[in-house]
Amino acid sequence: MNDDLIRFVRSKLDEDEHNTVTLTSLAPAGTEVTLDSTIPMLDMVRAVTDLYASVAHVDRPAGAADTEAFEAGRAAGLEAAVRLLAQAYHDAPEYRDEWRPEARP
């Protein structure tokens, strides 16, 4: 499930980035297009998703060493963040209800 969530968010970010570039390129010459926060926001969401992808495989092992417990906690926190960010795309046909933060097992 984690890999599917990560692929979904990355796909939607790619679409948003493509649409932003397309809209900017379609503006008539001399028209000011103000999207100053759009690309940086997409980059920040992508950064959080990439951080989560690097630890998404970590489970919460019982009796884990401190470093393993830290990584498990980091994975859980980043998972919660990515689930919240994915909700921006809840209307997409590919979005799954199981990705909602409150649906966490």
Side-chain angles (χ1 to χ4, degrees):
M1 179 182 76
N2 295 337
D3 291 340
D4 291 341
L5 173 61
I6 291 165
R7 269 192 297 277
F8 171 78
V9 172
R10 285 177 171 164
S11 169
K12 291 302 174 188
L13 290 171
D14 290 345
E15 286 178 26
D16 285 350
E17 190 170 36
H18 173 77
N19 291 340
T20 299
V21 170
T22 300
L23 286 173
T24 303
S25 68
L26 292 175
T31 302
E32 183 178 343
V33 179
T34 307
L35 298 170
D36 295 341
S37 65
T38 304
I39 296 296
M41 182 63 69
L42 294 173
D43 289 344
M44 286 183 279
V45 173
R46 191 179 308 279
V48 170
T49 303
D50 290 347
L51 283 172
Y52 176 51
S54 72
V55 294
H57 65 281
V58 177
D59 204 352
R60 296 174 188 84
D66 286 346
T67 54
E68 291 171 326
F70 174 79
E71 284 301 304
R74 182 172 181 234
L78 288 167
E79 177 184 4
V82 171
R83 284 172 174 263
L84 284 168
L85 294 168
Q87 280 191 300
Y89 304 106
H90 72 276
D91 287 336
E94 312 94 318
Y95 184 82
R96 300 181 192 168
D97 283 338
E98 66 197 54
W99 293 337
R100 294 186 187 284
E102 60 273 6
R104 174 96 176 105

